[in-house]
Amino acid sequence: MTERVIPPNAHSLIGLNPDACTSCMICVRECPVWCIDLASHTHEVTEEGARRPKVVHVLDEFTIDFGACMFCGICVDVCPFDALAWSSGLDQSAHSAGGLVHGIDQLVKWFPASGS
Amino acid sequence: MRQVSAADWAAELAERQAAGFDFLDMITGVDRLESIEVIASVMRSSDATCELVSTTLDSDRTLASITHVYAGAGWYERELAEMFGVLILGSADQRPLLRRTDEGAPTMLKSTVLGARVLTPWPGDADASDDAKANRRRQRAVGVAEGWLVEEGSTDD
């Protein structure tokens, strides 16, 4: 049997860089299968010399349901801050459909820069 | 991408397999509104090279089965039949793939209204700022027709 090779650019996982995410919701709204869920809250930051405090979004939760995801990559394409990225690998199996819903803890491991 | 006529579909894929593309990666359809395009991706597993073969179906939406070339094609052909309403000729297994019956409109056609989209809360509806006072226009999910997400008694301007 010939050796099977997984292409290095395989689109098998999507990773998240939570530090780059601004909770802008673009990926959530563009996802055709509604498999991304995001929760955030606002936080006021007062910078020295600023007239008014700045409102920043703090990411609380970010989940991708890989049971619904069809790996179209629209979320990766539309993210203005490159917080989502394709990753290759085969970490996808789970014992139940709920096990395919992955949050920040797992998605950050799949973000290519942090994985290497 | 290799473009072939629907009549040459099976012959072209047999040729691809003879050229060393031993693995059928996937077959899918694209609703181009006036026609259905069917695209197959085949891979040479020794070096992971992929090639795409595409055909555009006539209004009768029929396509010859290629299960005699790639046995795994049966799964995708059932999907094409169920989701895109493509009639697959010469395939042994005609059962719907995901739905229990093949009643109702093919779900992946752009003309099909998906009732579940009205009943399921859209994750994008919640504003990131979680600020009810935000004077934003109510956003609508992509692919949801105007008026679907309007609650009774509310105004959606």
Side-chain angles (χ1 to χ4, degrees), chain A residues 3-35:
Chain A
E3 198 190 339
R4 303 275 170 174
V5 181
I6 299 172
N9 58 349
H11 290 173
S12 51
L13 293 170
I14 291 167
L16 170 77
N17 178 2
D19 297 330
C21 177
T22 66
S23 317
C24 70
M25 300 284 285
I26 292 177
C27 56
V28 178
R29 295 193 170 122
E30 292 296 317
C31 175
V33 293
W34 304 4
C35 74

Side-chain angles (χ1 to χ4, degrees), chain A residues 2-9 22-25 28-42 57-58 70, chain B residues 22-23 43 45-48 50 108 116-118 120-130 136 139-142 144 149:
Chain A
T2 49
E3 198 190 339
R4 303 275 170 174
V5 181
I6 299 172
N9 58 349
T22 66
S23 317
C24 70
M25 300 284 285
V28 178
R29 295 193 170 122
E30 292 296 317
C31 175
V33 293
W34 304 4
C35 74
I36 305 176
D37 232 316
L38 184 159
S40 66
H41 67 272
T42 51
H57 291 281
V58 181
M70 60 178 190
Chain B
D22 54 338
F23 180 73
M43 188 170 90
S45 59
S46 56
D47 61 358
C50 287
M108 290 296 278
R117 294 240 141 167
V118 184
T120 313
W122 182 40
D125 202 25
D127 195 84
S129 64
D130 196 28
R136 279 167 184 270
Q139 298 204 38
R140 192 174 289 119
V142 174
V144 173
L149 291 181

Side-chain angles (χ1 to χ4, degrees), chain A residues 70-85:
Chain A
M70 60 178 190
F71 300 89
C72 65
I74 288 175
C75 56
V76 176
D77 286 352
V78 297
C79 179
F81 307 101
D82 291 343
L84 291 164

